[in-house]
Amino acid sequence: MRRRLGWGFWLALGWIALVLAGAAAADLLPLPRYDETLAGPPQSGPGPDHPFGTDGLGRDVLSRVVYGARVSLGVGVGAVVLGLLIGAPLGVLAGYRRRATDAVIMGFNDVALAFPALVFALAVVAFAGASLVNVLIVLGVLGVPAWVRLVRGATMVFSEREFVAAARVLGARDRTVLWREIVPNVSLPVASYAFIGMAVAIVAEGSLAFLGLSVQAPTPTWGGLINEGRPLMENAPHVVLVPSVVMFLTVLAFNLLGDRLRALTDVRQSGLEPVRRRRADRLPAQPHHVEEGVLLQVADLRTHFTTVRGTVRAVDGVSFTLERGRTLAIVGESGSGKSMLIRSILGLAPDAGTLRGGSVYLDGQDLTELDGEQLRRILGTRLAAVFQDPMTALNPVRTIGAQVMEPLTVHLGMKRGAARARAAELLASVGIPEPARALRRYPHQLSGGMRQRVTIAMALSCGPDVLFADEPTTALDVTVQDQVLRLIRRQREERHMAVVLVSHDLSVVAEWADEVIVMYAGKVVERGPAATLFERTRMPYTEALLRAVPKLTDPAHHPLRLLPGRPPDLAAPPSGCAFHPRCPYARERCTQEEPPLFQAEVPDHLYACWYPVGTGAGVVETSGISGTAEALKAAETTGADETTDAIEGADSRGR
Amino acid sequence: MILRLVRLLLVLLVVTFLSYLLLNLLPGDPTTQILGLSASEEAREQLRRELSLDDPLFTRYLAWLGELVAGDLGTSYTTSVPVTEALAERLPVTLELLVAAQLVALGLALPIGVAAARRAGRPLDQVLTALSFGLLSTPVFVLGVLLILVFAVKWQVLPATGWTPISLDLGWNLTSVLLPAVTLGCAQTAVYARLLRTDLIATLQEDYITLARARGLSPRRILWRHALRPSAISLVTAVGLNLGALIGGAVIIETLFGLPGVGRLIVDSIFARDYLTVQGGVVLISVGYVLVNFAVDLVYVAVDPRIRRA
């Protein structure tokens, strides 16, 4: 992807070109010489003869600044070139050879970095004499450690890339590999740092000159000019201001060039970062009725992100209901929108560039209508969440106790002592041995399984009505997985709460869930009671997921059966049914029309497919017919009781 | 830990050796450089013996190192004051300046970094980021000159030069350290604020922050209790690593503001050709720098429980 350098880059480049040209052509410019005294009246301000005024001896300030640029830029460029000449070969060597060579070079480098550079430069110049050559050498050499580190890092990155490995395998000699493959790739970070290095060297030379320890008078230097102008500050501030501003602009310009170039090498941007919007827009939602006596109702929930590449429909019209004591499982591949659905329900989806729609009702109260404070009260006490990775779910620098006690003191208003006792009880209830001791420990001192127990204890601390568990066992050992799931089920039964379990592991779902939702590209593609859904699968995607489940009969280290094809690009989803490019049964119609949710023969079993599996509809020749009525007809030909019914969210939202 | 100590000793040896080598950089006969052209042959001979100039370099270094450990850095030939004594007299000023500058830098960087991170990408963040970038590009003497111009010359609210020791008058002492400390701290402010912003933005995206929100904790509580502590740890490291830049800046600041610190002593001694004092000052600063970095490593271990027992 091409990225722009921005106008700042060109402005900075223009300024540096101007200063460079002025310094190079100083003798040709219509300026008084820098050392010509009484070129004008002393200490006179800017005027037509002297655009930047004159100094205490009546010398032209502009001329002195222009000539001073020779030393500043000369040292800046020279020191960088010198540092690069010494540092780059060492860095490439260390990064490419690794092992002993690397250890020795980096050992020296670390020691060298342990020096206060400017003080050493000062001392060396003081002892060896203040001259252009000495200043240049000292600043160049002091820059070497930074160059070694940078070039080594860049070399390491590229020498691990495929094309370099390939070249090596093909028997290319090291030198050839270095010149052809590594040097061109390392040059962009080097160029970026070269500009920053020049800024550093110019400031360092300026500092020495300011102290009177750089090139000696009468040759003007910027630092020297600033020092000279100090005593005149009261009567003729321009004498000190002009070189100060010029120096500032030049250093800023070099830093900017380096910064913009470095931004070019920054590969973290994918084009899917949310774009900020002026205000949070709300997406229109389908009309729905609020069901009574239902604990949790999600109605046509949508979360879209505006990105550079287009709108990403991460959650797109999801509806379901959940009652106390039940477990609802949400399954689908990574990137199907499961986790974002959970975050959207809890109001935790990122703010930036987000469009929301639909509602979440808890006992009939719409959570999406609440303000931050009201929502927080409900989040802390009635809804709770457990995430996939227990390694990142706990704050690494706070004790377990501080973290478990926090919701108790914040939401339940417990005193510290009571909260501590309750926290210990909670930890004991999730099976953590020696809970009082565990409270004093830090997360890294516990195993993954223990940490997940802690996060569950925290989630349960205020007695929630619904527990959202986002792949709670994926990051755990198989033996621990079962314990954690048992724990969640026992808590569900004891507390009579509802559980929303996100998983991509269908064997887990089959064992633990009452109802199942299958998601694909942010949408519900099949939904129903667990047993029905697995026995009478209708959606080919669900069928493919079921086939991908590893079996005990698989040989050890057998590669996982993967679904064919790639998950869809959410910024540009396929037309019609989003699954059609990967679907073995896809027909013409699937590529054009998005299937609504149809009602299957078992109550509450819904699927979004024109040619559902196991009904015969898939094999009926239906080319040429289109529309819901035809699908209904096709479905009716296979099952007597089948009533096909497009329900909520089933309008043609496809493209 | 033992590895750290060995490395510390190694670095200290290299640093002192290089400081010692400085004398060998003097062009021509060092005795002439130190005593001047008019010195008698006997005086030179005596100096030659005192500095053991006829011994091999490494022997000389070891002898010098022995005296250094005993606290003897020689006696200045220009002022006849023992170097250690001169340094000890100046050190408190430099230390106060450094501490005050760090306080200014951290005091400004904390709110700036937090404000920018909380509004990442929005106008306030962009303004603060641009400001930091500009501040980073301002040489410390340029900033100092500008601040003097505004506060001392134009508004005349703060003294441009001079120093009042704490022992004399605390109020005046603080007045005299304020402008230098702000000048020196400003550039560090930019460094710290940028670092804190980047780190905080990354921390705020961690799972444990999302989960803290899922537990219904207030944004303020999450920021101060949950996010800031991990980020503050990176800041501690940066404070140590930036000490080198700060010490270099202190030399300039002390000269610019006329503060009687170690940096000023070094610069004055350079012009007075008082080489032993210069050498002593360089040794003091480099050894101090290395030791402080070592201490920061230890603090880092203490603050971050993740590596405490690693």
Side-chain angles (χ1 to χ4, degrees):
Chain A
M1 199 192 320
R2 230 184 108 72
R3 254 163 262 151
R4 291 160 50 97
L5 286 162
W7 53 267
F9 179 85
W10 300 110
L11 214 63
L13 199 66
W15 171 259
I16 288 170
L18 183 75
V19 176
L20 261 179
D27 294 327
L28 305 174
L29 295 174
L31 288 170
R33 263 191 68 82
Y34 60 84
D35 52 355
E36 183 188 332
T37 52
L38 290 175
Q43 301 192 20
S44 60
D49 290 340
H50 305 281
F52 289 154
T54 59
D55 70 1
L57 295 174
R59 293 174 293 196
D60 185 59
V61 172
L62 175 63
S63 165
R64 290 178 70 72
V65 169
V66 169
Y67 277 93
R70 289 185 164 182
V71 175
S72 290
L73 294 184
V75 169
V77 174
V80 163
V81 170
L82 183 66
L84 191 57
L85 281 179
I86 305 174
L90 288 173
V92 168
L93 204 64
Y96 191 68
R97 282 283 160 88
R98 313 277 177 89
R99 301 195 183 139
T101 320
D102 187 34
V104 170
I105 293 178
M106 291 320 284
F108 273 106
N109 217 48
D110 277 355
V111 173
L113 278 171
F115 279 68
L118 188 67
V119 174
F120 248 80
L122 193 84
V124 170
V125 173
F127 281 89
S131 69
L132 183 64
V133 176
N134 282 352
V135 169
L136 208 153
I137 291 177
V138 166
L139 295 185
V141 170
L142 283 172
V144 168
W147 279 114
V148 172
R149 177 173 280 195
L150 175 91
V151 173
R152 169 181 175 266
T155 307
M156 274 189 161
V157 169
F158 285 106
S159 61
E160 275 164 10
R161 296 269 170 92
E162 294 85 353
F163 55 84
V164 175
R168 274 177 141 172
V169 169
L170 289 172
R173 288 184 312 152
D174 279 355
R175 193 181 300 171
T176 322
V177 173
L178 277 175
W179 280 110
R180 292 242 181 98
E181 315 288 351
I182 292 187
V183 169
N185 281 305
V186 169
S187 50
L188 189 59
V190 164
S192 152
Y193 187 69
F195 286 119
I196 293 171
M198 285 176 198
V200 171
I202 289 174
V203 172
E205 190 278 333
S207 307
L208 290 175
F210 180 79
L211 296 172
L213 289 168
S214 181
V215 185
Q216 297 297 297
T219 313
T221 61
W222 287 349
L225 291 179
I226 294 170
N227 193 26
E228 281 170 24
R230 277 203 295 147
L232 305 176
M233 234 187 264
E234 248 169 285
N235 301 321
H238 67 272
V239 181
V240 73
L241 276 178
V242 172
S244 296
V245 170
V246 169
M247 187 161 186
F248 165 69
L249 287 178
T250 309
V251 173
L252 183 68
F254 275 113
N255 274 333
L256 243 161
L257 291 191
D259 190 67
R260 294 318 302 159
L261 281 182
R262 200 192 50 203
L264 275 191
T265 60
D266 202 342
V267 289
R268 279 171 300 178
Q269 292 189 348
S270 64
L272 289 175
E273 292 77 19
V275 174
R276 280 197 178 281
R277 301 178 67 91
R278 236 153 245 173
R279 58 195 175 81
D281 290 324
R282 245 185 113 81
L283 294 165
Q286 293 297 311
H288 52 261
H289 69 276
V290 184
E291 292 183 35
E292 278 186 30
V294 168
L295 178 64
L296 181 73
Q297 181 186 358
V298 172
D300 200 35
L301 196 66
R302 286 150 204 265
T303 304
H304 297 180
F305 299 106
T306 313
T307 71
V308 180
R309 290 189 44 216
T311 301
V312 170
R313 294 156 183 249
V315 177
D316 201 16
V318 173
S319 303
F320 65 82
T321 56
L322 181 62
E323 306 198 20
R324 275 184 192 280
R326 313 271 295 170
T327 298
L328 170 78
I330 302 175
V331 299
E333 290 169 292
S334 336
S336 58
K338 298 168 299 186
S339 294
M340 195 47 76
L341 172 61
I342 298 296
R343 282 163 171 77
S344 301
I345 293 172
L346 295 170
L348 298 176
D351 281 329
T354 308
L355 298 165
R356 297 161 215 275
S359 298
V360 176
Y361 299 96
L362 184 68
D363 280 333
Q365 184 183 26
D366 189 349
L367 301 186
T368 60
E369 300 284 331
L370 299 181
D371 66 23
E373 182 55 42
Q374 291 168 322
L375 182 62
R376 281 199 288 280
R377 211 166 295 137
I378 287 183
L379 280 182
T381 52
R382 301 200 55 195
L383 306 179
V386 175
F387 283 180
Q388 173 174 357
D389 189 354
M391 298 299 174
T392 59
L394 294 168
N395 194 323
V397 297
R398 304 180 79 214
T399 59
I400 301 290
Q403 301 187 57
V404 180
M405 282 156 64
E406 194 170 23
L408 299 173
T409 52
V410 171
H411 293 299
L412 305 184
M414 285 190 183
K415 294 270 180 289
R416 281 193 63 80
R420 177 163 287 276
R422 179 82 188 105
E425 280 171 38
L426 279 165
L427 291 190
S429 76
V430 295
I432 288 179
E434 295 188 77
R437 216 166 92 85
L439 285 178
R440 287 194 302 274
R441 313 190 93 181
Y442 285 94
H444 72 276
Q445 295 168 313
L446 303 181
S447 69
M450 281 300 147
R451 288 194 214 186
Q452 196 64 302
R453 284 168 192 267
V454 171
T455 61
I456 292 171
M458 290 165 78
L460 298 175
S461 59
C462 295
D465 295 315
V466 188
L467 175 70
F468 294 87
D470 188 354
E471 309 218 16
T473 59
T474 308
L476 301 177
D477 273 341
V478 183
T479 47
V480 184
Q481 282 185 8
D482 202 53
Q483 296 170 7
V484 169
L485 287 166
R486 274 175 206 286
L487 173 67
I488 291 178
R489 181 155 73 180
R490 206 184 67 224
Q491 297 290 342
R492 184 197 76 189
E493 282 159 7
E494 281 175 10
R495 295 161 187 267
H496 200 55
M497 63 180 186
V499 174
V500 175
L501 177 72
V502 173
S503 181
H504 62 248
D505 186 343
L506 291 188
S507 53
V508 166
V509 171
E511 188 175 351
W512 302 96
D514 302 309
E515 286 153 84
V516 180
I517 282 180
V518 182
M519 282 188 78
Y520 192 76
K523 291 186 160 98
V524 174
V525 293
E526 186 159 10
R527 157 181 145 190
T532 317
L533 193 120
F534 289 128
E535 277 160 29
R536 306 188 182 193
T537 306
R538 289 287 175 268
M539 174 67 195
Y541 176 61
T542 315
E543 186 188 41
L545 281 179
L546 282 169
R547 266 202 221 117
V549 176
K551 298 190 175 57
L552 275 176
T553 49
D554 286 343
H557 303 296
H558 174 83
L560 281 172
R561 269 182 278 259
L562 295 172
L563 263 61
R566 285 160 171 265
D569 177 358
L570 291 180
S575 59
C577 171
F579 187 60
H580 85 255
R582 306 167 71 185
C583 180
Y585 317 110
R587 310 259 183 103
E588 182 74 26
R589 180 177 200 178
C590 306
T591 66
Q592 284 158 5
E593 278 178 79
E594 187 182 351
L597 278 175
F598 296 107
Q599 172 74 57
E601 65 271 33
V602 176
D604 297 329
H605 183 191
L606 305 165
Y607 60 89
C609 185
W610 293 121
Y611 309 105
V613 290
T615 61
V619 287
V620 176
E621 181 52 62
T622 50
S623 62
I625 25 177
S626 63
T628 312
E630 303 303 332
L632 184 128
K633 190 176 152 198
E636 271 173 356
T637 54
T638 58
D641 289 340
E642 260 185 25
T643 48
T644 310
D645 184 18
I647 62 146
E648 47 190 300
D651 62 316
S652 303
R653 243 178 285 113
R655 306 187 175 177
Chain B
M1 194 61 209
I2 290 179
L3 206 74
R4 279 210 184 100
L5 272 176
V6 169
R7 194 170 161 274
L8 173 72
L9 281 179
L10 192 79
V11 173
L12 282 178
L13 278 179
V14 176
V15 166
T16 50
F17 183 64
L18 286 179
S19 308
Y20 184 73
L21 266 187
L22 283 174
L23 272 180
N24 287 59
L25 283 175
L26 287 175
D29 185 352
T31 59
T32 315
Q33 290 287 334
I34 292 174
L35 296 176
L37 282 172
S38 56
S40 64
E41 193 55 43
E42 294 86 66
R44 288 188 201 195
E45 198 48 47
Q46 197 195 338
L47 176 63
R48 204 178 289 282
R49 268 199 310 278
E50 273 178 39
L51 297 180
S52 326
L53 284 180
D54 297 323
D55 291 346
L57 177 66
F58 202 65
T59 323
R60 272 189 283 150
Y61 164 66
L62 286 184
W64 175 82
L65 189 63
E67 287 173 8
L68 169 66
V69 173
D72 183 7
L73 282 160
T75 302
S76 162
Y77 289 93
T78 15
T79 61
S80 308
V81 175
V83 173
T84 330
E85 210 172 280
L87 289 173
E89 193 189 320
R90 303 291 193 103
L91 190 59
V93 178
T94 304
L95 287 182
E96 188 185 340
L97 174 64
L98 290 178
V99 170
Q102 290 283 25
L103 287 180
V104 168
L106 287 173
L108 290 176
L110 204 67
I112 293 178
V114 169
R118 286 184 67 177
R119 295 166 187 78
R122 281 188 249 172
L124 179 71
D125 173 39
Q126 286 167 346
V127 168
L128 289 175
T129 304
L131 216 65
S132 301
F133 199 78
L135 217 49
L136 272 182
S137 304
T138 316
V140 64
F141 52 93
V142 169
L143 186 66
V145 162
L146 291 179
L147 289 179
I148 289 179
L149 201 60
V150 173
F151 289 97
V153 177
K154 256 215 151 75
W155 295 347
Q156 308 197 336
V157 287
L158 288 168
T161 55
W163 177 259
T164 313
I166 302 186
S167 51
L168 227 58
D169 186 317
L170 179 66
W172 279 109
N173 170 263
L174 290 181
T175 317
S176 56
V177 84
L178 184 60
L179 210 47
V182 168
T183 311
L184 190 53
C186 259
Q188 303 300 309
T189 299
V191 175
Y192 298 159
R194 276 164 69 109
L195 191 117
L196 186 62
R197 173 187 177 271
T198 314
D199 208 276
L200 209 50
I201 288 175
T203 305
L204 286 173
Q205 284 168 352
E206 293 277 355
D207 269 0
Y208 57 82
I209 298 294
T210 311
L211 277 167
R213 287 170 60 205
R215 283 195 288 281
L217 302 175
S218 67
R220 184 186 298 172
R221 191 183 183 92
I222 289 174
L223 181 74
W224 295 103
R225 301 254 178 117
H226 294 244
L228 210 53
R229 204 170 145 195
S231 293
I233 289 166
S234 337
L235 204 58
V236 171
T237 330
V239 170
L241 287 176
N242 274 291
L243 209 67
L246 213 57
I247 289 175
V251 174
I252 293 166
I253 293 289
E254 284 172 11
T255 310
L256 177 59
F257 288 92
L259 307 183
V262 174
R264 175 84 182 285
L265 179 67
I266 293 178
V267 174
D268 287 347
S269 302
I270 289 173
F271 288 110
R273 300 186 159 273
D274 184 354
Y275 293 110
L276 286 186
T277 306
V278 176
Q279 188 187 40
V282 171
V283 169
L284 175 71
I285 288 181
S286 350
V287 169
Y289 175 60
V290 171
L291 288 179
V292 168
N293 266 344
F294 181 72
V296 166
D297 260 9
L298 295 186
V299 170
Y300 184 62
V301 174
V303 198
D304 193 341
R306 281 167 294 189
I307 53 173
R308 196 179 293 166
R309 255 159 263 200

PDB file of all heavy atoms in Angstrom, chain B residues 89-105:
ATOM      1  N   GLU B  89      32.204  20.274  46.585  1.00  0.00           N
ATOM      2  CA  GLU B  89      31.585  21.562  46.841  1.00  0.00           C
ATOM      3  C   GLU B  89      30.512  21.877  45.799  1.00  0.00           C
ATOM      4  O   GLU B  89      29.480  22.482  46.095  1.00  0.00           O
ATOM      5  CB  GLU B  89      32.685  22.634  46.811  1.00  0.00           C
ATOM      6  CG  GLU B  89      32.259  23.968  47.354  1.00  0.00           C
ATOM      7  CD  GLU B  89      33.335  25.002  47.088  1.00  0.00           C
ATOM      8  OE1 GLU B  89      34.529  24.677  47.222  1.00  0.00           O
ATOM      9  OE2 GLU B  89      32.965  26.131  46.713  1.00  0.00           O
ATOM     10  N   ARG B  90      30.768  21.446  44.563  1.00  0.00           N
ATOM     11  CA  ARG B  90      29.853  21.774  43.461  1.00  0.00           C
ATOM     12  C   ARG B  90      28.717  20.781  43.282  1.00  0.00           C
ATOM     13  O   ARG B  90      27.695  21.107  42.683  1.00  0.00           O
ATOM     14  CB  ARG B  90      30.641  21.837  42.139  1.00  0.00           C
ATOM     15  CG  ARG B  90      31.783  22.819  42.131  1.00  0.00           C
ATOM     16  CD  ARG B  90      31.262  24.250  42.161  1.00  0.00           C
ATOM     17  NE  ARG B  90      32.298  25.214  41.853  1.00  0.00           N
ATOM     18  CZ  ARG B  90      32.415  25.816  40.671  1.00  0.00           C
ATOM     19  NH1 ARG B  90      31.584  25.526  39.719  1.00  0.00           N
ATOM     20  NH2 ARG B  90      33.368  26.684  40.465  1.00  0.00           N
ATOM     21  N   LEU B  91      28.944  19.561  43.740  1.00  0.00           N
ATOM     22  CA  LEU B  91      28.000  18.491  43.430  1.00  0.00           C
ATOM     23  C   LEU B  91      26.555  18.788  43.863  1.00  0.00           C
ATOM     24  O   LEU B  91      25.619  18.531  43.092  1.00  0.00           O
ATOM     25  CB  LEU B  91      28.485  17.172  44.051  1.00  0.00           C
ATOM     26  CG  LEU B  91      27.715  15.922  43.615  1.00  0.00           C
ATOM     27  CD1 LEU B  91      27.790  15.744  42.106  1.00  0.00           C
ATOM     28  CD2 LEU B  91      28.259  14.680  44.306  1.00  0.00           C
ATOM     29  N   PRO B  92      26.328  19.329  45.083  1.00  0.00           N
ATOM     30  CA  PRO B  92      24.929  19.545  45.504  1.00  0.00           C
ATOM     31  C   PRO B  92      24.129  20.383  44.519  1.00  0.00           C
ATOM     32  O   PRO B  92      22.939  20.116  44.269  1.00  0.00           O
ATOM     33  CB  PRO B  92      25.075  20.276  46.839  1.00  0.00           C
ATOM     34  CG  PRO B  92      26.411  19.905  47.339  1.00  0.00           C
ATOM     35  CD  PRO B  92      27.277  19.703  46.136  1.00  0.00           C
ATOM     36  N   VAL B  93      24.761  21.397  43.937  1.00  0.00           N
ATOM     37  CA  VAL B  93      24.067  22.257  42.980  1.00  0.00           C
ATOM     38  C   VAL B  93      23.591  21.437  41.786  1.00  0.00           C
ATOM     39  O   VAL B  93      22.422  21.509  41.380  1.00  0.00           O
ATOM     40  CB  VAL B  93      24.991  23.404  42.518  1.00  0.00           C
ATOM     41  CG1 VAL B  93      24.273  24.264  41.494  1.00  0.00           C
ATOM     42  CG2 VAL B  93      25.448  24.220  43.709  1.00  0.00           C
ATOM     43  N   THR B  94      24.506  20.637  41.227  1.00  0.00           N
ATOM     44  CA  THR B  94      24.154  19.831  40.061  1.00  0.00           C
ATOM     45  C   THR B  94      23.051  18.834  40.410  1.00  0.00           C
ATOM     46  O   THR B  94      22.102  18.647  39.638  1.00  0.00           O
ATOM     47  CB  THR B  94      25.396  19.093  39.541  1.00  0.00           C
ATOM     48  OG1 THR B  94      26.402  20.052  39.262  1.00  0.00           O
ATOM     49  CG2 THR B  94      25.076  18.317  38.283  1.00  0.00           C
ATOM     50  N   LEU B  95      23.188  18.197  41.575  1.00  0.00           N
ATOM     51  CA  LEU B  95      22.171  17.223  41.967  1.00  0.00           C
ATOM     52  C   LEU B  95      20.801  17.882  42.099  1.00  0.00           C
ATOM     53  O   LEU B  95      19.794  17.356  41.620  1.00  0.00           O
ATOM     54  CB  LEU B  95      22.562  16.552  43.288  1.00  0.00           C
ATOM     55  CG  LEU B  95      23.704  15.545  43.195  1.00  0.00           C
ATOM     56  CD1 LEU B  95      23.968  14.906  44.551  1.00  0.00           C
ATOM     57  CD2 LEU B  95      23.385  14.462  42.161  1.00  0.00           C
ATOM     58  N   GLU B  96      20.772  19.057  42.736  1.00  0.00           N
ATOM     59  CA  GLU B  96      19.495  19.730  42.898  1.00  0.00           C
ATOM     60  C   GLU B  96      18.887  20.072  41.542  1.00  0.00           C
ATOM     61  O   GLU B  96      17.694  19.887  41.315  1.00  0.00           O
ATOM     62  CB  GLU B  96      19.654  21.005  43.739  1.00  0.00           C
ATOM     63  CG  GLU B  96      18.283  21.611  44.083  1.00  0.00           C
ATOM     64  CD  GLU B  96      18.387  22.936  44.818  1.00  0.00           C
ATOM     65  OE1 GLU B  96      19.449  23.218  45.395  1.00  0.00           O
ATOM     66  OE2 GLU B  96      17.406  23.686  44.789  1.00  0.00           O
ATOM     67  N   LEU B  97      19.742  20.539  40.632  1.00  0.00           N
ATOM     68  CA  LEU B  97      19.266  20.882  39.291  1.00  0.00           C
ATOM     69  C   LEU B  97      18.674  19.652  38.604  1.00  0.00           C
ATOM     70  O   LEU B  97      17.578  19.714  38.024  1.00  0.00           O
ATOM     71  CB  LEU B  97      20.419  21.459  38.464  1.00  0.00           C
ATOM     72  CG  LEU B  97      20.105  21.728  36.993  1.00  0.00           C
ATOM     73  CD1 LEU B  97      19.044  22.804  36.867  1.00  0.00           C
ATOM     74  CD2 LEU B  97      21.364  22.143  36.236  1.00  0.00           C
ATOM     75  N   LEU B  98      19.397  18.518  38.693  1.00  0.00           N
ATOM     76  CA  LEU B  98      18.932  17.301  38.022  1.00  0.00           C
ATOM     77  C   LEU B  98      17.607  16.818  38.609  1.00  0.00           C
ATOM     78  O   LEU B  98      16.674  16.477  37.876  1.00  0.00           O
ATOM     79  CB  LEU B  98      19.982  16.194  38.142  1.00  0.00           C
ATOM     80  CG  LEU B  98      21.262  16.406  37.339  1.00  0.00           C
ATOM     81  CD1 LEU B  98      22.239  15.273  37.572  1.00  0.00           C
ATOM     82  CD2 LEU B  98      20.946  16.515  35.859  1.00  0.00           C
ATOM     83  N   VAL B  99      17.536  16.795  39.925  1.00  0.00           N
ATOM     84  CA  VAL B  99      16.309  16.324  40.570  1.00  0.00           C
ATOM     85  C   VAL B  99      15.139  17.248  40.225  1.00  0.00           C
ATOM     86  O   VAL B  99      14.044  16.792  39.848  1.00  0.00           O
ATOM     87  CB  VAL B  99      16.495  16.237  42.101  1.00  0.00           C
ATOM     88  CG1 VAL B  99      15.158  15.987  42.780  1.00  0.00           C
ATOM     89  CG2 VAL B  99      17.470  15.121  42.446  1.00  0.00           C
ATOM     90  N   ALA B 100      15.391  18.560  40.306  1.00  0.00           N
ATOM     91  CA  ALA B 100      14.323  19.512  39.995  1.00  0.00           C
ATOM     92  C   ALA B 100      13.869  19.359  38.550  1.00  0.00           C
ATOM     93  O   ALA B 100      12.663  19.395  38.257  1.00  0.00           O
ATOM     94  CB  ALA B 100      14.807  20.935  40.255  1.00  0.00           C
ATOM     95  N   ALA B 101      14.830  19.150  37.642  1.00  0.00           N
ATOM     96  CA  ALA B 101      14.481  19.007  36.229  1.00  0.00           C
ATOM     97  C   ALA B 101      13.646  17.752  36.010  1.00  0.00           C
ATOM     98  O   ALA B 101      12.655  17.764  35.265  1.00  0.00           O
ATOM     99  CB  ALA B 101      15.745  18.960  35.374  1.00  0.00           C
ATOM    100  N   GLN B 102      14.023  16.656  36.671  1.00  0.00           N
ATOM    101  CA  GLN B 102      13.241  15.416  36.531  1.00  0.00           C
ATOM    102  C   GLN B 102      11.830  15.606  37.081  1.00  0.00           C
ATOM    103  O   GLN B 102      10.857  15.114  36.508  1.00  0.00           O
ATOM    104  CB  GLN B 102      13.918  14.255  37.272  1.00  0.00           C
ATOM    105  CG  GLN B 102      15.196  13.760  36.649  1.00  0.00           C
ATOM    106  CD  GLN B 102      14.961  12.883  35.423  1.00  0.00           C
ATOM    107  OE1 GLN B 102      13.932  12.988  34.768  1.00  0.00           O
ATOM    108  NE2 GLN B 102      15.925  12.055  35.093  1.00  0.00           N
ATOM    109  N   LEU B 103      11.734  16.325  38.204  1.00  0.00           N
ATOM    110  CA  LEU B 103      10.413  16.570  38.791  1.00  0.00           C
ATOM    111  C   LEU B 103       9.551  17.378  37.830  1.00  0.00           C
ATOM    112  O   LEU B 103       8.380  17.065  37.605  1.00  0.00           O
ATOM    113  CB  LEU B 103      10.544  17.294  40.131  1.00  0.00           C
ATOM    114  CG  LEU B 103      11.069  16.445  41.285  1.00  0.00           C
ATOM    115  CD1 LEU B 103      11.147  17.274  42.558  1.00  0.00           C
ATOM    116  CD2 LEU B 103      10.180  15.216  41.498  1.00  0.00           C
ATOM    117  N   VAL B 104      10.146  18.426  37.261  1.00  0.00           N
ATOM    118  CA  VAL B 104       9.412  19.241  36.287  1.00  0.00           C
ATOM    119  C   VAL B 104       8.974  18.365  35.121  1.00  0.00           C
ATOM    120  O   VAL B 104       7.802  18.365  34.707  1.00  0.00           O
ATOM    121  CB  VAL B 104      10.292  20.396  35.774  1.00  0.00           C
ATOM    122  CG1 VAL B 104       9.647  21.060  34.566  1.00  0.00           C
ATOM    123  CG2 VAL B 104      10.523  21.408  36.878  1.00  0.00           C
ATOM    124  N   ALA B 105       9.926  17.564  34.599  1.00  0.00           N
ATOM    125  CA  ALA B 105       9.642  16.749  33.422  1.00  0.00           C
ATOM    126  C   ALA B 105       8.514  15.758  33.704  1.00  0.00           C
ATOM    127  O   ALA B 105       7.557  15.653  32.937  1.00  0.00           O
ATOM    128  CB  ALA B 105      10.905  16.012  32.978  1.00  0.00           C
TER     129      ALA B 105
END
